[in-house]
Amino acid sequence: MSGILGMAHDAGMFTVHQTIGSVLCCKCGIRMQPNAANMCVKCLRSEVDITEGLLKRLVLVHCPECESYLQPPRTWVKLQLESKELLTFCLKKLQKNMNINKVKLVNAEFIWTEPHSKRVKVKVSVQKEVYHGAILEQSYLVEYVQQDHLCESCAKVAANPDQWVAAVQLRQHVSHRRTFYYLEQLILRHGAAARAVRIKQMDHGIDFYFSNRSHGNKFVEFIGKVAPVKSRSDKQLVSHDSKSNNYNYKYTFSVEISPICREDLICLPPKAAAILGNIGPIVVCTKVTNSIALLDPLTLKFGFLDAEQYWRTSFKSLLTSRQLVEYIVLDIEPVSSEITVGGMKYVLADAQVARVSDFGSNDTQFTIRTHLGHLLKPGDHALGYDLYGANTNDMELDRYKGYIPEVVLIKKSYEEKRQKKRGKARPWKLKSLNMEVDDKIKVDEDKRDAEYEHFLKDLEENPELRFNISLYQNNDYQPSEVGSVTDVDDGEEIPSVPFEELVSGLEELGLDDNANGEDSMAE
Amino acid sequence: MATRLKFENSCEVGVFSKLTNAYCLVAVGGSENFYSTFEAELSDVIPVIKTSIGGTRIVGRLCIGNKNGLLLPHTTTDQELQHLKNSLPDQVRVQRIEEKLSALGNCIACNDHVALTHTDLDKETEEVVADVLGVEVFRQTVAGNILVGSYCAFSNKGGLVHPHTSVEDLDELSTLLQVPLVAGTVNRGSEVIAAGMTVNDWTAFCGSDTTATELSVIENVFKLREAKPSAIVDEMRKSLFDS
């Protein structure tokens, strides 16, 4: 009757108001509104306990060292007490049991327990259909007992803290450590060595130790992306369980970085020159990432060699930045207009230069072609390679019959102006990796310091070097005194790091990983 | 007095039996227990007949009758029809009707004066019902269900309907049937009233799951406490005598 009335109502007809009558509960006889079971709620509850057969007491295996919980069979998940993830984790254990009993989970929440009580209490509300379609809801308490058990990784660490499974040996056979300083900053910024168990400084390189082969592999791939490398890997059997056929190995990755560095002068062997389109055998290396950028200073022609190509025709540099000599520019005349090559602007110019050591004492001058026409003015100091006076021991150079320039200028020198600023702190500073230094190797302290200072100067002068590195504000720096002294005869200032590039101290105060992470995201 | 019993472990007593003021039809069970309970209660007063309808045991739901007559579906076999005609008293008219809705017990509910029928019942069937059973026929629904024969059970003294029946519907039905009605349940909260119990003017039989509360409701509404079989039978005897 009510169904028909419903339709009639929709059609706009007169309908009678339906009052729900009352019946007696079939068990206790009190008056109630009729429901699907026709029993009052109390009788229904007393009849049926829908929580019967559900789990009320469970075990959670917890590792006290790393605060993680065991997810069978072997995974350990890091979870906080009273967190949403822990709740999900606990409820998952109840799920199968609930499905078997055809009970639906409606609500769950934590009941507070003492942190040291090793109990986690969860109040769970469930619903189940009883009798003829009546749905009954009931809540009950589930108690989880926390059992302590060291997880495998913590157990291994506790047994032997120095244990490593993978080692990455990074080497570069050059006489300076500039590459490693730069790599150190890169690694810090990207957090590539976050999972290293130990870092050790070695002769001509650094060793990284990891507890897992995949961590080591990931690190090797990271290095492969930022430097031109050649790597090989080996493994050594440590132990062998013949019953379960488990083999434990130690893995070693040997990574060699190419010896070509920025600002090196190279005499290309004919094969390499051929790959690059026959650029003049004397080339300058302008940039080293995972490929080497070479610039011919006489013709402003550019070439790239990636890691594979380089190692096929492995050549060494002719002269390195240690052999840079200071020149003074007497006259300069641009020959070409400004050309952008490989992201950098160059102007080809003819210049008259003299070595600073010769200047004033004799008349030795050189007329050369240089690619630094955009930077140099008469009276400037520049650093370059002295091929006229150098004594090189290079087969390629001897074989080459064509024209070899006498001087190749590389960069402008700010040495004079730096003299005035000597001893003043910089407004920025760098972080460093936590490295062990091997006591057995003789370390020349002065040489190391000078190299580091050189690296910092490099950073100031070259903005593109700073691209991948985080520089932090130096809280000890006082800017006030500097201006007055140097103002007098400086036409130009020494290049310095603009303030916006510095990472503020506040970020540094937070977790170190956060700062690194933020920077890499900002990229 | 209301009795609680089971048919072969089922509490749906109204499915396997049909009780009126003049006779009682009972299904054939594996054991005699069901039949003996009815017999113990009723045999001095009215005939208790074991039968099947259409080869099935669900006699309570397939046929409909009162003291005047009995209506059977078209599935009833000739032997069954004959058996019933032989066993029933002569004043009870037995008739087999052709009706698409063959479960007459589910579609029609009646007492000796009024009948409620399924809304889709044929016109002819309605006329046969009015004629054979000697009742006034009303097409109705009970709590929105069209199977009135299942969801309500009434006798000449009172009636029990589906528990979800609204107060207005209850009043309306009560006026039509001219008996007091109450909404209630049988067999521990079951809403299918007529399947769970069978009733006449002085006695009722319910499934054994019926709770004490439900039983007291039934006894109150059907006025079973005061009723004695003899008074009614004496009345019948008088009328018999006269004709």
Side-chain angles (χ1 to χ4, degrees), chain B residues 18 76 106 111 115 122 172 179 194 225 229 231:
Chain B
K18 187 69 167 181
T76 319
N106 284 336
N111 63 6
D122 285 349
E172 190 179 335
V179 292
R225 298 236 172 82

Side-chain angles (χ1 to χ4, degrees), chain A residues 1-4 16-29 34-39 47 131-132, chain B residues 140-145 163-169 172 183-185 188-191 211-214 216-217:
Chain A
M1 193 148 56
S2 51
I4 296 170
V16 184
H17 176 249
Q18 304 284 339
T19 323
I20 310 221
S22 59
V23 286
L24 299 184
C25 162
C26 66
K27 263 195 87 173
C28 58
N35 61 29
N38 293 311
M39 275 199 256
E47 270 305 294
Y131 291 136
H132 321 200
Chain B
Q140 271 294 353
T141 63
V142 171
N145 297 105
H164 291 181
T165 316
S166 67
V167 173
E168 289 82 11
D169 290 352
E172 190 179 335
T185 65
R188 221 166 212 290
S190 166
E191 296 159 345
T211 61
T213 318
E214 290 166 338
S216 72
V217 168

